Amino acid sequence: MVLEGFHQEKDVKLKSSPADLVTETDQNVENLLISSIRETYPEHRFIGEESVVAGEPVVLTDSPTWIIDPIDGTVNFVHRFPFVAISIAFAVNKQVEFGIVYSCVEDKMFSAERGQGAFLNGVPLHVSHQKDIHQCVVVTEIGAERDDLSLSTMTSNIYKLLKLPIHGVRAVGTAAVDMCLIATGAADAYYHIGMHCWDIAASTLIVSEAGGVVMDTDGSQFDMMSRKVIAASSADVANSIAKVVCAFPCRRDDEVGSS
Ligand code: IPD
Ligand code: CA
C-alpha cells in the first residue's frame, strides 16, 4: 500500500502545522494493521498515530499494547523522497518487547526482540561504539514545529554541535529510520525533540539491542511519552550530546489533546 501510494498523486491534509501532513494512505495502512492484529488479539490495546489524531487518547498501561506509525516520514512520502517507514512496537508492562521498522522504498526490515539482538533483513546489527563526539556523524530532524522558540532552539542545537566540532549533521526525514541508522553504525548518534512515541517506540529497542544507548535529551532516563530522545553508539557520546542540546517545550504524548 505504501509503495503503491508513493508514486501516485496524493490528497494531502494538514495536522498540527503546515509541515505536519497526512494522506489517505497513512489512514488506510493504520486501519489495516490494527484490524488485522485485532482479529488475532482482540484484547490487546493500540496507540496509532492516525487514531490519536482522530481523537483517541494516548494511554500506555501495563496491558499488551501495539504502538504503530503507519507511515513515518509522511512529508517524504508526499514528496517521493525515498525514505518512508512503517513502525510497529509491541509493549507489555510499558516496556517494548519487540519492534520492527520497515523502510519501504529501500526494502529494509529492521527488527529486534528484547534480549535477542537487532537485525536488518535477518543480519545482526551493531552500533559503531564510537566514544568521541568529535568523530561523530549526528542525525537529527527539523520536525514540524515552525514557531520562533522551537526553530531558534533547534537551529542553535545544530550550530553548537557543529562548533564542537563534529564530523557532520544529517536529517533523513523519518525518526524511525534515523534511529535504525544508529543501530547499523552508519551514524553515531541521533537526538530529536518533538517526535511522538509512535515514531520511535520500535527503534528504541532496535538501537538498544544493537548495543546502543537511549536516553532523554537532558541526560535522564528515556521516557517514551516525553517527546525527547538521544540514541547513541555509547554513553560517552550520548552524554556529550545531552550537555549541548536544549529542549523547547512540547506537550507530552500522554497529555490530553496532544498533537
Ligand atoms: C515525523 C517524522 C519526522 C520528524 C517528526 C515526526 P511522521 O513523523 O519522523 O522525521 O521530524 O517529528 O513527527 O509525521 O512522518 O509520522
Ligand atoms: Ca506517521
Side-chain angles (χ1 to χ4, degrees):
M1 284 166 82
V2 174
L3 285 178
E4 222 177 82
F6 189 78
H7 297 287
Q8 289 168 358
E9 283 309 310
K10 294 138 187 116
D11 181 17
V12 181
K13 296 198 168 61
L14 302 187
K15 298 199 287 188
S16 65
S17 87
D20 187 10
L21 312 181
V22 65
T23 69
E24 229 178 14
T25 309
D26 297 66
Q27 291 155 342
N28 292 344
V29 171
E30 180 159 322
N31 290 340
L32 174 73
L33 288 169
I34 293 182
S35 59
S36 43
I37 296 169
R38 211 169 242 154
E39 272 175 28
T40 314
Y41 303 107
E43 74 289 2
H44 286 188
R45 303 173 69 105
F46 294 87
I47 297 172
E49 173 169 15
E50 307 312 335
S51 313
V52 171
V53 170
E56 283 193 20
V58 178
V59 186
L60 183 61
T61 66
D62 287 345
S63 304
T65 304
W66 299 79
I67 305 170
I68 295 174
D69 189 342
I71 300 183
D72 190 47
T74 301
V75 172
N76 287 354
F77 179 70
V78 166
H79 289 266
R80 300 191 188 100
F81 190 79
F83 301 94
V84 293
I86 298 172
S87 174
I88 304 175
F90 179 69
V92 180
N93 295 324
K94 302 189 183 74
Q95 183 162 276
V96 176
E97 290 300 328
F98 64 81
I100 63 166
V101 170
Y102 179 55
S103 180
C104 308
V105 180
E106 299 182 286
D107 191 20
K108 288 184 177 171
M109 178 73 83
F110 299 90
S111 61
E113 190 178 340
R114 180 164 299 284
Q116 304 297 317
F119 301 86
L120 165 53
N121 293 341
V123 178
L125 289 178
H126 303 285
V127 297
S128 68
H129 294 298
Q130 179 60 251
K131 288 193 169 72
D132 179 0
I133 187 70
H134 302 105
Q135 308 293 318
C136 286
V137 164
V138 177
V139 185
T140 188
E141 284 298 332
I142 312 303
E145 296 81 11
R146 294 293 183 267
D147 62 283
D148 284 342
L149 178 59
S150 304
L151 284 178
S152 58
T153 311
M154 189 260 301
T155 49
S156 130
N157 286 339
I158 294 174
Y159 179 90
K160 285 185 283 178
L161 279 168
L162 289 171
K163 284 295 279 184
L164 281 176
I166 58 172
H167 279 178
V169 170
R170 303 286 183 269
V172 178
T174 136
V177 172
D178 290 335
M179 287 186 73
C180 290
L181 288 168
I182 310 310
T184 68
D188 309 290
Y190 163 77
Y191 72 93
H192 195 172
I193 298 133
M195 78 298 151
H196 296 278
C197 58
W198 45 80
D199 297 318
I200 56 153
S203 39
T204 51
L205 184 64
I206 294 168
V207 170
S208 312
E209 288 294 324
V213 173
V214 178
M215 61 167 65
D216 191 284
T217 52
D218 64 10
S220 64
Q221 199 183 356
F222 172 66
D223 171 351
M224 176 102 76
M225 296 295 154
S226 78
R227 302 182 61 196
K228 295 179 286 152
V229 69
I230 295 173
S233 50
S234 66
D236 289 0
V237 163
N239 286 320
S240 302
I241 290 180
K243 272 189 207 138
V244 170
V245 302
C246 296
F248 48 83
C250 281
R251 199 160 32 174
R252 290 175 59 84
D253 272 333
D254 52 6
E255 279 179 6
V256 181
S258 65
S259 59

